[in-house]
Amino acid sequence: MTAIDLALDSLHQSATQLFRGALDACSIESAFDRRIHFEDGKLHRLMATDGESPTLDLKEYRRIFVVAIGKASPTMLETLLKRMGRRKGVRGVCCSGQIPEKRNWRIRYFAGGHPLPNEDSFAAARATLALLRKARRDTLVIFLISGGASALFDLPLDAEITLEDAIGFHQALLDSGAPITEINTIRKHFSAVKGGRLAVAASEATKLTMLLPDVPLRSLDMVASGPTCPDPTTVDEVRALLVKYDLLRKFPARVAEFFRRVDLPESPGNKSRLPQFLPRMPWAEGLAAALRRPAPEAGRPEDPAFRGSMYEVLLSSTDLVENARTLAQQAGYFTVVDNACDDWDYADAARYLLERFHALRAEHGRCCLISVGEVTVTIDRTPGAGGRNQQFALACAADLARFAGQPLVVFSAGSDGIDGNTRAAGAIADTTTVQRAKAFGYDPDEALRAFNACPLFTALGDSVVTGPTGHNLRDLRLLLSDSGGNE
């Protein structure tokens, strides 16, 4: 191998180690222990800042229901049950991408579909609504919610809409190129289990929601499309988005008919007073000010279904990016974090980060630019095999090809271990990617146009494959250099 080959190989390994190390440091078990403690029959919320009681006496509740939904739900559920110990009256539902090998007899398990719902997605939602209808004042409901549940767990408000219709609805949203916040705004007004409707289904019960967000912290009502959160979005916003992305003609007929209704149901929440959901937490005051929103307590929802509701953020993409920053610095990289391109189009995000990267490495030869969040991909044809991370990496490869002979690498992968319709989490591009791809008979430009990046990266051995990680803390992008930065 040449010196540049060795340098690139070292950067590939370094990027992979940074990603895996940052993810490993985001332990759900340790996050639980920082937030929740069970002792003497009581649940203690160790960092409670939402104005509600930091301690729940479990002896006051005749029944405890647990609803765990999302990609990380099996790990969250197992951790909670282990710490709760043997307790009468516990029942629940768990819906994730696959049914775990280790199961609890008190819980009903479902393997929902992702990124499109399946039969179990509907069955899990029905089972959850049936369970919550049994909740009374003597019931504690613990919701364990992580990303991915918008597809994994769903049931249309309109009973006439079939699973096939719902699949077409979700596919049209995914293909639209809309950012996830706008997609979930529409989903909230389509679903019987999103936009606060699970909280309403258990309106009399005490409710504790524990979140693993896959969205920015300013948008926690968008995690799983906010099944337990008061919803600030409105029907009028939905109608504007349908026009913006020309969605009605792309939806199945029954779905389009539903959204054309004059009496389209509004989601729960006081729309005239409610700011975007932002629970009162240690970082909430500063974040609310930065967003120029009223502090959360100024916009508390009046809907009685949300009174007394408690919310805890276990982990977020902030933890992921800070772990990556620490590891990169320990590895000797001059490290910068830039999350400005969150929810941008993948091509715009690639241009922005590469420009920042080249400026950075001109001053610091050994550097690492870190970016967390998600990019969007607008699909205008039947796609090949790929996902937003592989699409982003391939877009970067064309720029990197201009710097042949320099050790530069771009890494992009999903923390859940899944990218689009593939088994890869993402991909790694470097200054030789385009050249090597052409030598293997691939046309990188055509692969990019066809949204078919996965076969190319697989052939090059540059796919990032982790398998399902049990996490969903958004995507991590790493741009690494180990040169002087001279062109």
Side-chain angles (χ1 to χ4, degrees):
M1 297 178 70
T2 66
I4 185 61
D5 290 334
L6 289 171
L8 287 172
D9 186 60
S10 177
L11 284 179
H12 277 241
Q13 293 182 39
S14 184
T16 303
Q17 289 167 0
L18 290 176
F19 174 69
R20 290 181 179 271
L23 200 55
D24 288 345
C26 292
S27 164
I28 291 175
E29 291 83 357
S30 62
F32 250 95
D33 292 339
R34 288 194 300 271
R35 294 283 182 181
I36 299 291
H37 178 63
F38 290 92
E39 186 177 9
D40 297 329
K42 296 179 180 179
L43 185 159
H44 302 274
R45 300 171 60 217
L46 302 179
M47 302 173 70
T49 55
D50 55 12
E52 305 300 335
S53 171
T55 300
L56 296 172
D57 189 342
L58 301 184
K59 293 189 292 293
E60 296 180 359
Y61 302 100
R62 190 166 67 89
R63 293 181 291 189
I64 299 176
F65 294 161
V66 182
V67 177
I69 57 175
K71 293 179 181 178
S73 58
T75 305
M76 296 174 75
L77 176 63
E78 182 182 357
T79 303
L80 174 70
L81 294 178
K82 185 184 299 181
R83 281 149 180 75
M84 189 184 296
R86 293 183 178 274
R87 191 168 302 280
K88 293 182 179 179
V90 175
R91 295 293 184 272
V93 173
C94 178
C95 182
S96 62
Q98 55 188 7
I99 296 176
E101 292 184 9
K102 185 177 181 181
R103 298 185 290 276
N104 188 296
W105 67 270
R106 298 172 293 182
I107 308 297
R108 295 183 64 186
Y109 293 85
F110 299 88
H114 192 278
L116 303 173
N118 62 12
E119 290 284 0
D120 259 20
S121 303
F122 278 28
R126 292 190 183 102
T128 298
L129 290 173
L131 179 70
L132 295 181
R133 289 187 189 108
K134 300 174 184 177
R136 299 293 181 264
R137 292 184 182 274
D138 61 359
T139 306
L140 169 64
V141 184
I142 301 177
F143 294 97
L144 306 174
I145 299 178
S146 55
S150 290
L152 288 167
F153 181 81
D154 199 13
L155 188 68
L157 275 168
D158 186 342
E160 297 298 317
I161 293 175
T162 66
L163 174 60
E164 184 179 359
D165 294 330
I167 290 172
F169 164 73
H170 281 269
Q171 187 66 66
L173 291 178
L174 293 175
D175 293 348
S176 69
I180 191 63
T181 52
E182 293 183 344
I183 288 175
N184 284 356
T185 294
I186 299 170
R187 284 168 165 167
K188 288 179 178 184
H189 291 78
F190 170 80
S191 176
V193 292
K194 298 181 173 68
R197 290 189 172 92
L198 287 190
V200 171
S203 58
E204 295 183 9
T206 300
K207 295 174 283 291
L208 171 60
T209 298
M210 304 185 73
L211 297 158
L212 237 63
D214 63 339
V215 298
L217 290 177
R218 66 180 181 273
S219 306
L220 292 180
D221 60 291
M222 292 295 174
V223 182
S225 300
T228 66
C229 304
D231 181 29
T233 70
T234 66
V235 164
D236 286 343
E237 290 177 61
V238 171
R239 290 187 172 123
L241 292 173
L242 297 178
V243 172
K244 179 180 179 180
Y245 295 101
D246 192 21
L247 286 168
L248 287 177
R249 71 177 184 86
K250 301 171 185 176
F251 286 161
R254 274 184 287 245
V255 175
E257 182 180 352
F258 168 76
F259 279 107
R260 288 191 180 103
R261 286 175 51 174
V262 175
D263 61 341
L264 184 65
E266 189 56 272
S267 54
N270 187 334
K271 310 298 179 175
S272 63
R273 298 179 62 248
L274 188 62
Q276 193 165 14
F277 176 68
L278 188 64
R280 192 164 53 201
M281 293 182 180
W283 37 262
E285 291 287 339
L287 186 56
L291 297 169
R292 298 183 179 176
R293 282 199 187 96
E297 58 269 25
R300 296 289 287 182
E302 294 180 347
D303 192 320
F306 300 105
R307 288 177 189 159
S309 289
M310 296 163 281
Y311 303 90
E312 295 281 357
V313 174
L314 290 175
L315 287 167
S316 73
S317 57
T318 300
D319 298 284
L320 182 66
V321 77
E322 287 306 315
N323 290 337
R325 185 210 298 262
T326 298
L327 292 171
Q329 289 173 340
Q330 290 173 349
Y333 291 98
F334 181 84
T335 305
V336 171
V337 174
D338 188 335
N339 301 327
C341 57
D342 189 17
D343 273 344
W344 288 16
D345 176 80
Y346 77 93
D348 293 336
R351 281 190 290 270
Y352 172 80
L353 288 176
L354 285 165
E355 182 177 347
R356 184 82 196 274
F357 176 55
H358 292 316
L360 182 65
R361 70 185 184 87
E363 297 183 16
H364 306 277
R366 184 171 171 82
C367 66
C368 177
L369 176 60
I370 302 173
S371 181
V372 74
E374 297 178 358
V375 297
T376 63
V377 179
T378 304
I379 299 176
D380 59 2
R381 67 193 71 187
T382 302
R388 60 177 177 257
N389 286 288
Q390 294 164 88
Q391 191 78 358
F392 171 85
L394 188 54
C396 290
D399 175 88
L400 294 180
R402 299 187 297 119
F403 302 94
Q406 295 193 42
L408 311 175
V409 157
V410 172
F411 176 106
S412 185
S415 60
D416 59 356
I418 302 168
D419 189 37
N421 58 3
T422 74
R423 294 186 178 182
I428 308 176
D430 62 40
T431 51
T432 69
T433 297
V434 169
Q435 177 187 359
R436 288 185 292 129
K438 290 179 178 178
F440 273 81
Y442 288 91
D443 182 341
D445 292 334
E446 177 55 31
L448 197 66
R449 285 192 295 270
F451 310 102
N452 194 37
C454 188
L456 183 153
F457 282 116
T458 300
L460 299 182
D462 290 339
S463 294
V464 178
V465 180
T466 63
T469 64
H471 273 296
N472 196 18
L473 301 175
R474 317 196 78 208
D475 301 338
L476 186 67
R477 292 174 287 277
L478 305 168
L479 291 80
L480 299 176
S481 167
D482 197 6
S483 69
N486 299 319
E487 297 184 19

